């Protein structure tokens, strides 16, 4: 079962290496969408609820998963500082 408590981005990032449940590893193309606060369409076995978003084993934030879609909860204030072309 998924836990429906919304974690903050900073708290989620502190759990890198510790979190094992509700962690979704994204590939580069979906990470770019996530960081731009776009919806990420992905089919998972998870049910509806909050998930932590990971890239190359590092948690970058959180989102809400429902109906095969992750709604990005990446902070609006940080979007301008992310250069997704250099992440990949």
């Amino acid at each position: 079962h998924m836990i429906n408590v919304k974690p903050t981005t900073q708290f989620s990032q502190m759990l890198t290496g510790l979190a094992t449940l509700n962690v979704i590893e994204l590939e580069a193309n979906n990470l770019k969408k996530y960081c731009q606060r776009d919806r990420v369409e992905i089919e998972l076995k998870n049910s509806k609820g909050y998930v932590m978003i990971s890239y190359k084993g590092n948690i970058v934030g959180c989102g809400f998963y429902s109906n095969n879609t992750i709604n990005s909860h990446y902070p609006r204030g940080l979007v301008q500082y992310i250069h997704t072309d250099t992440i990949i």
Side-chain angles (χ1 to χ4, degrees):
H1 292 271
M2 303 211 27
I3 299 171
N4 287 316
V5 175
K6 182 185 177 202
T8 64
T9 297
Q10 291 81 8
F11 180 74
S12 298
Q13 291 170 347
M14 290 175 17
L15 294 176
T16 293
L18 301 173
T20 57
L21 296 175
N22 305 334
V23 178
I24 309 302
E25 181 74 22
L26 293 183
E27 302 216 1
N29 61 327
N30 281 332
L31 176 69
K32 186 173 183 175
K33 290 179 186 178
Y34 170 80
C35 288
Q36 293 172 338
R37 295 188 53 90
D38 291 337
R39 290 188 171 133
V40 177
E41 293 185 19
I42 187 169
E43 190 172 333
L44 306 170
K45 294 181 181 182
N46 295 31
S47 58
K48 181 169 117 176
Y50 288 101
V51 293
M52 288 186 242
I53 306 301
S54 178
Y55 178 69
K56 293 187 176 181
N58 296 301
I59 296 175
V60 296
C62 64
F64 191 84
Y65 180 75
S66 178
N67 299 321
N68 296 329
T69 302
I70 297 171
N71 291 311
S72 175
H73 284 221
Y74 195 75
R76 285 181 183 91
L78 295 180
V79 171
Q80 62 185 332
Y81 299 108
I82 295 294
H83 301 285
T84 53
D85 294 334
T86 61
I87 293 173
I88 305 165

